[in-house]
Amino acid sequence: MQTAKTVPCRLSSVEELFTMLKITPEELYQAIGIGYITFSKIKNGKKRYIQKPNDKLKPKQKTLKDFIQNSLPCPPYCTAGFKGQSNIKNAEKSRQKREVVTLDISHYFPNTQEKYIRKFFAETFGAKDEALDLLVKLTTYNGYLPTGAPTSTILVNFAHKDIFDSIYKKMQEYDIDMTVYVDDITLSSHKHIGNWVIKYINNALKTHGIYLKKSKTKRYSFRHAVVTGVHINQSGKMSAPFKIGHSVIKALKEKDLSDMSITELQSIIAKIAYIQQFEPNKMAVTKTKAIKQLKKLQKRYGSTKTA
């Protein structure tokens, strides 16, 4: 298990906190006071609530995130929240395994309670009194982690680190590889992964008030697996899931690129870019045309418009 780096500085006082954030007390209190813009969006047919930090708060959350990244090592099972990590790197660890099990933590950010964030800052950075209160206010919303804050992805790793450390150690005893990508837990092994493993993980998570979503639990054989948005075939080759390419083709059949809005074009370009991480030349012509059309619309309406 990795050992913690030497923390470059403590955050035990407000003076240390203001110095790290490069902000005045008045500016920080104002940013926290303005708070968040809350809204909902539909993802996979379900409504998801987003808490977006204001323009003064978000930059300071980014500064704090960088400070945490530079101060602490990435846990061995963690594949998100740190520089260089990605869903693709997460999937790589499950290649050519006999069995893969993917688990999803239900409402992970909203169910991550403020008390675990408070404990993390107090124990790791020595934060106390007003400095500790400000750190908690800076990174939480109504007593939990906000979904739109830059700090949430890295903080959720450390809020429950003691649990995941113990789970990881247990999995190693049974030759099971475990990765955690935000709210996705992936187990892979050259052996069979028994149902007791899933129950063990769920019971461990419940001690912190978080739990697995049963309907999202998937078990894959050696023939193929889908891990954090990456398809892995029997030989270990990775590719974008078929549904992503299919959605691009469907969109192009329904509407010509010249008739699409800025938002629609951005979606097409993003999906093709993802596919090209595995197949560099795939849909290259379509992507070039979409980018050309996007630039034309942005010039006409302004980059912030959806047309």
Side-chain angles (χ1 to χ4, degrees):
M1 187 174 297
Q2 296 184 36
T3 57
K5 296 177 182 177
T6 300
V7 178
C9 72
R10 293 169 64 81
L11 298 175
S12 57
S13 67
V14 289
E15 289 78 15
E16 290 171 329
L17 176 59
F18 295 142
T19 297
M20 185 273 293
L21 291 176
K22 298 178 181 177
I23 193 173
T24 65
E26 293 75 17
E27 289 171 333
L28 181 57
Y29 285 118
Q30 182 185 36
I32 292 173
I34 297 173
Y36 297 79
I37 298 171
T38 60
F39 59 94
S40 64
K41 67 177 183 179
I42 304 299
K43 184 178 180 181
N44 298 325
K46 295 183 179 181
K47 184 179 288 187
R48 183 186 179 199
Y49 292 95
I50 308 295
Q51 298 84 38
K52 179 182 177 182
N54 67 76
D55 291 341
K56 294 182 181 296
L57 187 61
K58 188 174 181 178
K60 297 311 164 186
Q61 290 176 333
K62 287 183 177 179
T63 299
L64 178 58
K65 178 195 70 173
D66 291 341
F67 174 81
I68 297 172
Q69 283 183 339
N70 294 329
S71 301
L72 303 172
C74 176
Y77 46 81
C78 178
T79 56
F82 286 82
K83 295 175 182 177
Q85 301 288 20
S86 70
N87 66 309
I88 295 176
K89 285 193 173 182
N90 179 79
E92 284 178 346
K93 298 187 178 183
S94 298
R95 296 171 69 182
Q96 295 181 308
K97 298 292 178 65
R98 170 189 168 180
E99 199 162 277
V100 176
V101 176
T102 58
L103 310 170
D104 182 90
I105 302 174
S106 182
H107 300 95
Y108 199 17
F109 287 177
N111 284 333
T112 294
Q113 301 171 42
E114 175 186 304
K115 64 180 180 180
Y116 297 113
I117 305 303
R118 180 176 292 274
K119 180 182 178 183
F120 163 69
F121 282 122
E123 293 183 353
T124 307
F125 296 105
K128 57 185 178 181
D129 303 328
E130 186 180 0
L132 180 56
D133 290 337
L134 284 172
L135 280 165
V136 172
K137 290 177 181 179
L138 180 65
T139 56
T140 62
Y141 171 84
N142 286 354
Y144 58 84
L145 285 179
T147 54
T151 44
S152 292
T153 298
I154 193 166
L155 283 177
V156 81
N157 292 319
F158 291 108
H160 310 292
K161 186 175 182 296
D162 56 338
I163 291 179
F164 283 107
D165 282 350
S166 64
I167 295 174
Y168 180 70
K169 183 178 179 181
K170 188 75 170 180
M171 295 302 102
Q172 285 186 310
E173 292 175 4
Y174 289 87
D175 296 320
I176 299 173
D177 289 327
M178 181 187 85
T179 58
V180 181
Y181 182 80
V182 194
D183 56 358
D184 293 310
I185 301 173
T186 305
L187 308 173
S188 59
S189 179
H190 293 295
K191 303 177 181 179
H192 171 63
I193 301 173
N195 288 327
W196 72 266
V197 175
I198 301 172
K199 292 179 181 178
Y200 170 82
I201 293 175
N202 197 42
N203 288 334
L205 296 178
K206 283 181 179 179
T207 63
H208 271 208
I210 52 179
Y211 50 91
L212 299 176
K213 190 168 186 177
K214 291 183 179 180
S215 62
K216 288 285 191 74
T217 297
K218 306 288 183 183
R219 186 182 290 274
Y220 300 96
S221 69
F222 69 95
R223 294 179 184 277
H224 82 101
V226 178
V227 178
T228 52
V230 179
H231 181 268
I232 307 171
N233 69 13
Q234 186 173 341
S235 67
K237 181 181 178 181
M238 301 192 302
S239 62
F242 172 77
K243 66 179 182 180
I244 296 179
H246 178 72
S247 66
V248 173
I249 294 171
K250 182 181 179 182
L252 292 171
K253 285 183 177 180
E254 293 175 349
K255 189 181 294 186
D256 189 84
L257 289 173
S258 60
D259 296 323
M260 290 186 181
S261 67
I262 287 178
T263 300
E264 290 170 327
L265 288 167
Q266 289 173 331
S267 176
I268 291 285
I269 294 166
K271 288 176 180 178
I272 295 176
Y274 184 69
I275 293 170
Q276 288 181 339
Q277 290 188 70
F278 307 98
E279 302 175 81
N281 298 319
K282 191 80 170 182
M283 299 183 175
V285 174
T286 300
K287 182 182 175 184
T288 299
K289 291 181 178 179
I291 292 174
K292 184 177 180 179
Q293 178 63 17
L294 175 62
K295 289 180 178 179
K296 185 186 296 184
L297 289 183
Q298 288 176 331
K299 185 176 180 181
R300 182 187 306 170
Y301 299 103
S303 59
T304 59
K305 301 290 185 179
T306 56

